[in-house]
């Protein structure tokens, strides 16, 4: 029997699931661009597990990129990404 996947996950697990190193700036960029939905529990941001697949696919298809310039940020490579 397969384990039940959680509905919401922490930022650290979100990053691990899509295969990137945990970084608050990356998650902040995703939130700023409205690419992910989230809610706060205390100081911790929680994200929808289903969105890990969507973000992973966008990264793999080249619709979004993670860039650095004195920090990490997300760029949209295609208008279809939003």
């Amino acid at each position: 029997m397969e384990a039940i996947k959680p509905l919401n996950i922490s930022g650290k697990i979100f990053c691990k699931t899509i295969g990137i190193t945990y970084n608050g700036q990356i998650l902040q960029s995703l939130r700023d661009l409205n690419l992910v939905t989230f809610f706060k529990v205390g100081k911790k941001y929680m994200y929808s597990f289903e969105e890990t697949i969507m973000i992973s696919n966008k990264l793999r298809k080249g619709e979004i990129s993670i860039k650095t310039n004195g920090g990490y940020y997300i760029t949209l490579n295609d208008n279809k990404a939003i």
Side-chain angles (χ1 to χ4, degrees):
M1 188 168 150
E2 190 175 323
I4 297 173
K5 291 185 172 56
L7 295 176
N8 300 297
I9 55 177
S10 68
K12 188 174 274 189
I13 295 171
F14 186 92
C15 288
K16 183 178 179 182
T17 303
I18 63 173
I20 61 173
T21 303
Y22 172 72
N23 185 288
Q25 291 175 330
I26 293 171
L27 293 169
Q28 180 67 47
S29 290
L30 290 170
R31 292 192 304 265
D32 291 347
L33 292 169
N34 295 318
L35 293 173
V36 294
T37 56
F38 65 94
F39 63 93
K40 283 181 80 171
V41 177
K43 292 184 178 182
K44 196 174 207 178
Y45 287 95
M46 301 296 288
Y47 302 88
S48 170
F49 181 81
E50 294 173 348
E51 290 177 347
T52 60
I53 297 165
M54 178 196 67
I55 296 299
S56 179
N57 287 339
K58 287 183 183 302
L59 284 165
R60 193 171 49 246
K61 291 177 183 177
E63 294 175 7
I64 60 174
S65 299
I66 299 172
K67 308 233 176 162
T68 60
N69 184 11
Y72 292 95
Y73 61 96
I74 305 292
T75 59
L76 300 175
N77 299 329
D78 187 358
N79 290 336
K80 293 185 290 184
I82 295 181

